[in-house]
Amino acid sequence: MSNNEIPYKIYLEESEMPKAWYNMRADMKNKPAPLLNPGTLQPMTVEELSVVFCEELAKQELDNDTKFIEIPDEIKSFYKMYRPSPLVRAYCLEEKLGTPAHIYYKFEGNNTSGSHKLNSAIAQAYYAKKQGLKGVTTETGAGQWGTALSMACSYLGLDCKVYMVKCSYEQKPFRREVMRTYGASVTPSPSDTTNVGRKLLAEHPGTTGSLGCAISEAVEVAVGTEGYRYVLGSVLNQVLLHQSVIGLETKAALDKYGIKADIIIGCAGGGSNLGGLIAPFMGEKLRGEADYRIIAVEPKSCPSFTRGTYAYDFCDTGMVCPLAKMYTLGSDFIPAPNHAGGLRYHGMSSTLSQLYADGYMEATSVEQTEVFKAAEYFARVEGILPAPESSHAIKVAIDEALKCKETGEAKNIVFGLTGTGYFDMYAYEAYNDGKMTDYIPTDDEIRKSLEKLPKV
Amino acid sequence: MSNNEIPYKIYLEESEMPKAWYNMRADMKNKPAPLLNPGTLQPMTVEELSVVFCEELAKQELDNDTKFIEIPDEIKSFYKMYRPSPLVRAYCLEEKLGTPAHIYYKFEGNNTSGSHKLNSAIAQAYYAKKQGLKGVTTETGAGQWGTALSMACSYLGLDCKVYMVKCSYEQKPFRREVMRTYGASVTPSPSDTTNVGRKLLAEHPGTTGSLGCAISEAVEVAVGTEGYRYVLGSVLNQVLLHQSVIGLETKAALDKYGIKADIIIGCAGGGSNLGGLIAPFMGEKLRGEADYRIIAVEPKSCPSFTRGTYAYDFCDTGMVCPLAKMYTLGSDFIPAPNHAGGLRYHGMSSTLSQLYADGYMEATSVEQTEVFKAAEYFARVEGILPAPESSHAIKVAIDEALKCKETGEAKNIVFGLTGTGYFDMYAYEAYNDGKMTDYIPTDDEIRKSLEKLPKV
């Protein structure tokens, strides 16, 4: 099909939207390593996981075999409120770069949560409601996940308790207010509402918190409160499953116009966006039906893929969660204070870690000043103010498009634009004022943080 | 066509998008009263207006005859970046209200400026560029217009100087940073960069500014700087012309599914959204081809339609602009400090004023606490966090839908959802904390403010 017939934005019809999530693990020869009980070091069972998670989600977490899991009607109805998201042909960006490459981005930011997180939030809230629970607990860092979950819970009439990393709670009061508008209770973490929080406050008075600690607090409250379970917005297998809707829509939109992707690029923190975006493409790759270059982009300040170790590690600071085998920087690792935006988790999804270890994808890391430079460039050219997280993918997509300019190749580059930056204006302000800095952890820092890996 | 076949979101194909703007004035028997030269009290000519505005825009401002004005290709290209905007069937809201009414909203918030303002910003920037200008100046209150203009100027490589009402500049630092990210210079108004500003600062030290003053400053700079003109985001005829794209898309989407609107509701400050949304419907009404109930919704704290006087008035505090005949509260009128969001201009579009005077539309006013109640309700049910401005229309749409519930009528209610509330979280916070208040100006206050009307 000729170039000119491809619209700026490809929207699927309702009838073309995915009816089932796709589970990459079913096509993996080497399955991701199982979650381990931190006490017994034995693989977690559905029963054990169900203390923390809803039962249906515990099943999804451990299901390495079912290839397609039908999306329940109630979730499909909710998806209709903000999906399909557009697959945008970046005509303006291509022209500005003078590249023969064709650039496409899947834009997940056009919903009030401002990111793709809503795709899994509604799924997790739905299964909690179906199980008859009263509410759920979670942690949030930059606030996108907490916002998404509060929207989903509000829609279904579930209570929502969010532990928000204290520095974000203070720096992002607007995110907090969006969550409150959706009826969630938001507590800065560490807090005195949990044992983990009180212990940490006693040991480190004045701490501004971390994701790992907020997770521990949320899990403690979920396990200790009747009718509550814990939910998590990234890293987990179940999250990648729900987020496969991103990739399935992307592939359907490309297929509709006969476009074959050459390179697929996603930012990677815990892996929720990347795992969702690449899912059906990776499926074809795993089954030997097609080949794609798949690139994970992470911050140089939190480089789990590119500088971490592939090993079993704790998922949280309080060590109350199961152990996961993943590329990790150690559960105590916290990015330097100048790190803006998300992508700050110390580990990476077990599924993606296994795929990376098996050579099915590449990973690269970028510094945040160059990320914000790409963000500003993109904002001006494409008219969308991107989230700092998404801008990691933008940076590498631009780099790849410029390589095509050198070689003259008209490659199809697809990247995930996970969200908008409206709540990240402090970071943009620092960039606008020339005050943004970079920090790359030293080998020593990472080695030290890895010393506490559990003995498995 | 049956109910079930209407999708949640109606997106037009690129081929179905409007190719020309529609000029309501061409179908009005009673044309809007002309702008007057404040010195001579004679109708402004294109030549006189061209000192302040670009020439092509000056022509559009005074053109009461041309029914359709073709949208230039460059503007259509820009529109493709964020248009068509979806016409959403509010299935969830209908269900929650239990109303037999069918509710539709045209959602203009899915672009980085966060509102419909971009539709006219790109048009005005385009004509400035075409005239070979270096840049434009403008004022902004809540910041939506300034953001939109900075995006349009950045796209076309024009300089953009924004005078931002001081209280907004301080309360909305994030809006300011979005403008700066798009390369605009943002000055708090009143400032010491203009005669008007210096005079006002001397007379009222510590003033937090007003739209009327910011307009005067922006006009002074435009007129006094080689290669610059002034642009305005509302009130003007040219703005309503560009914004007709909202209504044209809305009508095309409704027509596509054979839906006849019964009630059309828009919030009204200066009239940019309302005038755009209703344009083609009003056209049919003016030509006697169809009838619609058209409702303007304004804040009780700034009620130009419902409590103002229809008379010639100054458009700005400095009295440097042409006089316009409009429903006005007097050019010194400033809403009480507890007023949140936009819709704070003292006058109303001349075109809409004439239509209202001739009985073609209704107007109603609402208090801001009930507006935020509707906003929160809508956010939770429809998953979009609305701008305070847009929420005025939501409030009345809900009221009309509830009337249908009483009468059992399945009316088609269409309203304009002009934008998102991401940069209005201080106001949401006040509402969440139960600290939001209402203020209705007394008759005396309005009478006093109207004493300064020019003698025409």
Side-chain angles (χ1 to χ4, degrees), chain A residues 133 338 389 407:
Chain A
L133 298 179
N338 71 345
E389 296 84 358
T407 62

Side-chain angles (χ1 to χ4, degrees), chain B residues 52-267:
Chain B
V52 178
F53 299 131
C54 307
E55 202 181 326
E56 194 62 33
L57 292 168
K59 283 182 194 162
Q60 290 180 1
E61 190 60 32
L62 301 185
D63 185 343
N64 284 341
D65 305 308
T66 313
K67 201 176 278 196
F68 289 99
I69 294 180
E70 207 182 324
I71 305 174
D73 283 342
E74 293 85 344
I75 297 176
K76 275 191 286 190
S77 282
F78 188 86
Y79 278 174
K80 279 186 192 172
M81 285 169 59
Y82 68 102
R83 307 203 69 80
S85 70
L87 182 72
V88 185
R89 171 75 186 269
Y91 282 112
C92 298
L93 181 60
E94 292 170 18
E95 194 186 320
K96 193 86 176 177
L97 293 172
T99 177
H102 297 185
I103 308 174
Y104 299 85
Y105 56 91
K106 181 67 169 170
F107 181 37
E108 291 288 318
N110 268 352
N111 69 72
T112 284
S113 81
S115 83
H116 66 292
K117 295 284 185 185
L118 201 50
N119 301 326
S120 185
I122 184 61
Q124 297 191 47
Y126 166 78
Y127 290 115
K129 182 78 180 177
K130 204 177 158 202
Q131 191 172 321
L133 298 180
K134 287 185 207 152
V136 292
T137 71
T138 199
E139 81 295 331
T140 199
Q144 292 179 334
W145 168 247
T147 310
L149 188 68
S150 66
M151 288 177 68
C153 286
S154 163
Y155 182 79
L156 294 170
L158 277 175
D159 183 41
C160 179
K161 297 185 196 301
V162 180
Y163 284 82
M164 188 171 187
V165 179
K166 191 178 271 173
C167 62
S168 291
Y169 183 91
E170 283 159 6
Q171 277 177 15
K172 299 197 170 188
F174 292 172
R175 275 264 179 227
R176 181 187 74 209
E177 288 309 319
V178 179
M179 291 184 250
R180 287 183 71 207
T181 299
Y182 281 94
S185 73
V186 188
T187 308
S189 168
S191 75
D192 60 5
T193 66
T194 66
N195 294 326
V196 175
R198 283 186 293 267
K199 183 158 173 270
L200 211 87
L201 284 171
E203 286 168 7
H204 306 280
T207 175
T208 55
S210 72
L211 262 187
C213 171
I215 293 175
S216 300
E217 291 205 87
V219 170
E220 184 182 322
V221 172
V223 172
T225 314
E226 168 109 22
Y228 280 75
R229 291 293 185 282
Y230 167 70
V231 297
L232 177 62
S234 191
V235 183
L236 296 173
N237 292 328
Q238 60 190 271
V239 175
L240 268 64
L241 175 73
H242 308 146
Q243 293 294 359
S244 70
V245 70
I246 305 172
L248 292 164
E249 277 187 17
T250 302
K251 187 149 193 318
L254 291 172
D255 288 351
K256 190 170 170 176
Y257 288 89
I259 304 156
K260 161 81 170 60
D262 295 299
I263 309 177
I264 300 158
I265 301 165
C267 61

Side-chain angles (χ1 to χ4, degrees), chain B residues 398-451:
Chain B
I398 289 175
D399 288 348
E400 290 295 329
L402 291 175
K403 281 184 207 161
C404 286
K405 189 176 178 177
E406 279 179 26
T407 62
E409 290 170 289
K411 286 185 184 166
N412 290 317
I413 300 171
V414 177
F415 73 90
L417 190 71
T418 56
T420 49
Y422 305 135
F423 292 100
D424 299 285
M425 295 317 297
Y426 278 127
Y428 272 96
E429 184 174 16
Y431 179 77
N432 289 337
D433 289 341
K435 289 181 182 159
M436 179 162 276
T437 53
D438 292 309
Y439 182 77
I440 304 178
T442 63
D443 289 341
D444 251 19
E445 280 175 77
I446 293 178
R447 195 162 37 233
K448 238 182 207 155
S449 164
L450 284 171
E451 275 169 10

Side-chain angles (χ1 to χ4, degrees), chain B residues 22-36 43 60-68 237 240 282-283 286-287 310 312 324-327 349-358 360:
Chain B
Y22 165 63
N23 180 3
M24 276 190 289
R25 287 166 284 156
D27 281 314
M28 289 169 70
K29 267 176 221 149
N30 298 328
K31 305 294 182 193
L35 294 172
L36 299 185
Q60 290 180 1
E61 190 60 32
L62 301 185
D63 185 343
N64 284 341
D65 305 308
T66 313
K67 201 176 278 196
F68 289 99
N237 292 328
L240 268 64
M282 183 60 84
L286 287 165
R287 297 190 301 272
Y310 189 30
Y312 269 103
K325 189 174 177 191
M326 53 188 179
Y327 281 87
S349 143
S350 290
T351 300
L352 294 180
S353 291
Q354 186 64 48
L355 289 167
Y356 181 61
D358 289 342
Y360 284 102

